[in-house]
Amino acid sequence: MAIKVAIIGRPNVGKSTLFNRLAGRKIALVHDMPGVTRDRKEADAKLRDLVLKIVDTAGYEFSKTDNLEQRMWKQTERAINEADVCLFLFDAREGLHPYDEHLAGLVRASGKPVILLANKCEGKLQEDSIHEAFKLGLGQPIPFSAEHGLGLEDLYDELKEFDKKEEAPNGDADDDTEESADGEDEKDNRPIQVAIVGRPNVGKSTLVNALLNDERMLTGPEAGVTRDAITSAWEWKGQKFNLVDTAGLRRQSKIESSVEKMSAASSKHAAFMAQVVVLVLDADAVLDKQDLTIARKVLDEGRAMVIAVNKWDIANRKESLDRLNDKLASSLTQAEGIPTVTISALKKEGLDKLMSAVMKVYKRWNFRVPTAPLNKWFQDVLDNNPPPLGKNKRRIKLRYITQAKIRPPAFYIFSSNPEGLPDSYLRYLVNDLKETFDMKGIPVRVTVRKSDNPYATEKKPRKK
């Protein structure tokens, strides 16, 4: 079993840098500005033979009022309570701050084991700060540098005490063999990656919390609360999912701070790596220019997409639907057939409809057309509407079609004159293909390639 490790400390002491170091890759945003991390971010990690589940948390800032800092602390407090051990970081360059001492008191009260790390100890100038840290009451501080990987051996020795490896029962190997013998495809058991994207303050985090039935994500009236892409494992009707909450995407011209640029890049990467993208819209401002930009980019990347119209409980419903349909028809023609679901994330309404739509487009996105029906369709469409003369005034012969891959479905048509085929005829083929095999609402790619000349490699007879 993995050791669950919560990384805690005040802002800007290097928690996210340590998180990335242990994870072995840069998955948490790191910036010189304090307070970049707000939500809990989890990842699997390994330190030599130790299997870890690491949790990055927001920097501790004391607040009595119900504001963003107080809500951030509640998320950190939950991470501490769920952890097997906490890694308490303080900045050895700056020395102890009052927040360090206040947080240390809270951690001691929780009763959780703590490993104290004096971070940013690249030299000997920090020795005074290391000795001063004994007054935190958290034990012997370990000189450490998350950025340079110094002190990892000492950290390993401390974490080794919490190793929870268990011997597998004798029958486990036989059970695994039995499953393999049943012919189960391991890929079918993988979680479906679903990214929740949209403009700021449309209810993305609230939607994730509603699906999880848990206050997992930090929410609030402030726009732009979420800064990093946060993944949560979840199961719905026996199907596993990885739900990815993302930061709100504004117009590129309005993004000025480097932190927001990093957040936007993280959101786009999460969307482009997902299998299904749920584009969340505000019912009172559906498909504005930024929504259309997001939708086009998602479709261009070949992702399956579902549109979720949120805040439906307080919307002018007829007006919102009319505006949405007009926008889809006029400005996003490639989105024809994309499922549109009305929801209220706050009241948890329409969530089953949303997930049914996600499963529907996911199956379409994975669809492989059987060879015989595909060939019959191709012959029928050529008989009913043969290709026109090409751009170079030559007759075009389309020889055959084959499906090259899925996710999204991609097809190759082989032709004697591919460069001459008009774009309008290619669009006609794509639309008819989607209509015939029920692939509306997903990106379908059709590429025309030059067929091989069967005589190109034929050897010329030798002269006698």
Side-chain angles (χ1 to χ4, degrees), residues 4 69 127 152 229 266 322 349 420 449:
K4 192 155 190 180
E69 286 74 22
E127 287 184 2
L152 286 175
S266 175
D322 289 344
E349 296 173 355
R449 309 181 97 181

Side-chain angles (χ1 to χ4, degrees), residues 302-365:
R303 306 298 96 184
M305 189 168 73
V306 174
I307 294 175
V309 184
N310 193 26
K311 306 179 185 178
W312 196 242
D313 52 316
I314 57 173
N316 185 332
R317 300 188 174 188
K318 186 178 184 310
E319 183 181 330
S320 295
L321 272 183
D322 289 344
R323 188 164 64 247
L324 175 63
N325 292 330
D326 288 344
K327 286 275 190 178
L328 286 173
S330 61
S331 304
L332 201 64
T333 54
Q334 65 268 49
E336 183 186 1
I338 286 180
T340 302
V341 183
T342 55
I343 64 169
S344 171
L346 193 61
K347 295 191 174 181
K348 300 182 179 179
E349 296 173 355
L351 302 185
D352 279 342
K353 287 192 301 179
L354 174 62
M355 294 314 300
S356 296
V358 167
M359 288 303 300
K360 185 176 181 180
V361 296
Y362 178 74
K363 287 176 181 176
R364 287 178 179 175
W365 192 64

